């Protein structure tokens, strides 16, 4: 009779251990996984972009990353963020070698995978999303239609660029490669002192956390702008799934980095653009990480 309580205690401990082991295994990645990136930047010396991935606390780790399309790029691992079961790690890809300028525009470089080398000595190609690097053409006379004035971004996933016009010009449109229907949704706004068609909407960006102006999709291009005017191109990201049961972990893209360009043309036909550098990075919670892990575990 005295042994019965000990048996019950042992069985309870065994059930608890088995339950904890089941929960632990259920929250483990089969292997490290990169988040989904959308990156569209110029292919030139000094360009850099960050790729982020998840790996379990224990087991297989990424020890090196290679980009086959960029054999001369430098690779630097950044600080880790620790979650309950996984580490969030980022690696910086930097183009330190001078890029060759072409007389004629060269085709963009498209990167969808990187080679990850693991702690067990193996390696394989892993999906990273979409990275596009476009070679820049020559501008022999270094002529520019815009003079940069100020710019910035905030931790609210908003930012702007403000520039003065150096000549009379015509705004002809916006070059924004980010997919319109993707999540998170990118909203673009334009302010200028010369858009008499839309008076009274010029506002200021306060502390980088409030974007105002006329939505880009509501502007009918082309538009004439006088020399000495100020033009501001601003952006804000919105979570299209905020009011649904979906988590941030199911976004089309967890990280976004690109250059959105407001295109312009001078009366003599010279073309230039005004760029705002876009940055977005999901602020993932433990539940978001769990969503990504479960989605990865369900893949065949």
């Amino acid at each position: 009779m005295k042994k019965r309580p000990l048996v019950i205690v042992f069985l309870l401990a065994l059930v608890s251990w088995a339950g904890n082991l089941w929960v632990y295994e259920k929250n483990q990645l089969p292997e490290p996984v990169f988040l989904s990136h959308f990156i569209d930047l110029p292919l030139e010396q000094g360009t850099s972009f960050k790729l982020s991935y998840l790996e379990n606390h224990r087991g297989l780790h990424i020890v090196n990353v290679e980009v086959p399309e960029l054999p001369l790029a430098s690779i630097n691992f950044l600080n880790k963020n620790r979650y309950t079961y996984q580490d969030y790690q980022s690696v910086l890809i930097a183009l330190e070698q001078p890029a060759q300028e072409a007389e004629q525009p060269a085709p963009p470089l498209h990167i969808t995978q990187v080679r990850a080398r693991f702690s067990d000595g193996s390696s394989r190609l892993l999906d990273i999303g979409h990275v596009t690097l476009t070679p820049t053409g020559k501008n022999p006379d270094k002529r520019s239609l815009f003079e940069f004035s100020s710019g910035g971004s905030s931790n609210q996933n908003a930012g702007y660029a403000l520039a003065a016009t150096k000549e009379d010009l015509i705004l002809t449109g916006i070059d924004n490669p980010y997919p319109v229907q993707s999540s998170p949704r990118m909203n673009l706004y334009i302010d200028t002192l010369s858009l008499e068609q839309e008076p009274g909407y010029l506002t200021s960006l306060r502390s980088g956390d409030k974007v105002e102006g006329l939505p880009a999709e509501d502007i009918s291009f082309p538009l004439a702008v006088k020399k000495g005017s100020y033009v501001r191109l601003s952006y804000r990201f919105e979570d299209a799934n905020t009011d649904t049961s979906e988590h941030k972990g199911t976004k089309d893209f967890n990280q976004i980095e690109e250059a959105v360009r407001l295109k312009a043309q001078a009366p003599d036909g010279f073309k230039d653009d005004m760029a705002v550098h876009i940055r977005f990075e999901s602020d993932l919670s433990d539940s978001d990480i769990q969503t990504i892990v479960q989605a990865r575990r369900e893949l065949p």
Side-chain angles (χ1 to χ4, degrees), residues 100-165:
Q100 292 184 348
E101 291 186 333
E103 293 290 345
Q104 299 297 326
L109 185 66
H110 298 287
I111 304 170
T112 59
Q113 294 181 319
V114 297
R115 178 167 296 280
R117 299 198 176 276
F118 300 119
S119 51
D120 65 355
S122 65
S123 70
R124 63 172 298 182
L125 292 172
L126 297 181
D127 294 335
I128 59 173
H130 302 276
V131 176
T132 300
L133 301 175
T134 305
T136 55
K138 286 186 176 181
N139 181 9
D141 56 4
K142 304 298 182 182
R143 180 181 174 186
S144 175
L145 299 181
F146 297 97
E147 182 176 359
F148 178 78
S149 177
S150 65
S153 60
S154 78
N155 56 9
Q156 302 298 316
N157 293 318
Y160 76 102
L162 179 69
T165 56

Side-chain angles (χ1 to χ4, degrees), residues 181-185 238-254 282-285 287-292 295:
Q181 301 300 325
S182 295
S183 176
R185 181 174 58 248
E238 293 181 354
D239 186 358
N241 298 323
T242 299
D243 298 325
T244 72
S245 59
E246 299 179 41
H247 289 281
K248 297 175 188 175
T250 61
K251 287 183 185 299
D252 294 324
F253 302 106
N254 302 110
S282 292
D283 183 16
L284 299 176
S285 65
S287 62
D288 298 327
I289 297 295
Q290 187 178 21
T291 299
I292 296 174

Side-chain angles (χ1 to χ4, degrees), residues 251-269:
K251 287 183 185 299
D252 294 324
F253 302 106
N254 302 110
Q255 287 187 196
I256 301 164
E257 189 168 3
E258 66 167 349
V260 170
R261 300 182 181 276
L262 182 60
K263 298 187 291 184
Q265 181 173 320
D268 63 0

Side-chain angles (χ1 to χ4, degrees), residues 66-270:
E66 299 171 0
V67 185
E69 297 84 352
L70 301 172
L72 300 180
S74 66
I75 310 294
N76 295 286
F77 286 84
L78 306 178
N79 293 334
K80 292 182 179 180
N81 290 330
R82 189 175 180 86
Y83 287 85
T84 304
Y85 298 100
Q86 278 80 34
D87 288 326
Y88 181 105
Q89 175 78 63
S90 296
V91 58
L92 185 68
I93 314 296
L95 309 182
E96 298 181 345
Q97 298 292 327
Q100 292 184 348
E101 291 186 333
E103 293 290 345
Q104 299 297 326
L109 185 66
H110 298 287
I111 304 170
T112 59
Q113 294 181 319
V114 297
R115 178 167 296 280
R117 299 198 176 276
F118 300 119
S119 51
D120 65 355
S122 65
S123 70
R124 63 172 298 182
L125 292 172
L126 297 181
D127 294 335
I128 59 173
H130 302 276
V131 176
T132 300
L133 301 175
T134 305
T136 55
K138 286 186 176 181
N139 181 9
D141 56 4
K142 304 298 182 182
R143 180 181 174 186
S144 175
L145 299 181
F146 297 97
E147 182 176 359
F148 178 78
S149 177
S150 65
S153 60
S154 78
N155 56 9
Q156 302 298 316
N157 293 318
Y160 76 102
L162 179 69
T165 56
K166 299 171 67 175
E167 304 180 26
D168 290 348
L169 55 83
I170 296 176
L171 300 179
T172 59
I174 292 181
D175 183 10
N176 177 24
Y178 185 70
V180 176
Q181 301 300 325
S182 295
S183 176
R185 181 174 58 248
M186 183 196 299
N187 298 311
L188 293 174
Y189 305 86
I190 297 175
D191 286 342
T192 172
L193 291 174
S194 299
L195 292 183
E196 297 178 359
Q197 300 91 330
E198 300 291 343
Y201 73 83
L202 182 69
T203 56
S204 60
L205 191 70
R206 300 168 184 169
S207 302
D209 60 0
K210 186 178 182 181
V211 183
E212 298 180 42
L214 190 68
E217 62 268 23
D218 293 343
I219 296 179
S220 297
F221 295 101
L223 290 172
V225 181
K226 293 293 185 180
K227 176 181 178 180
S229 300
Y230 280 97
V231 177
R232 189 181 70 204
L233 178 61
S234 6
Y235 71 91
R236 179 178 63 228
F237 282 98
E238 293 181 354
D239 186 358
N241 298 323
T242 299
D243 298 325
T244 72
S245 59
E246 299 179 41
H247 289 281
K248 297 175 188 175
T250 61
K251 287 183 185 299
D252 294 324
F253 302 106
N254 302 110
Q255 287 187 196
I256 301 164
E257 189 168 3
E258 66 167 349
V260 170
R261 300 182 181 276
L262 182 60
K263 298 187 291 184
Q265 181 173 320
D268 63 0
F270 175 76

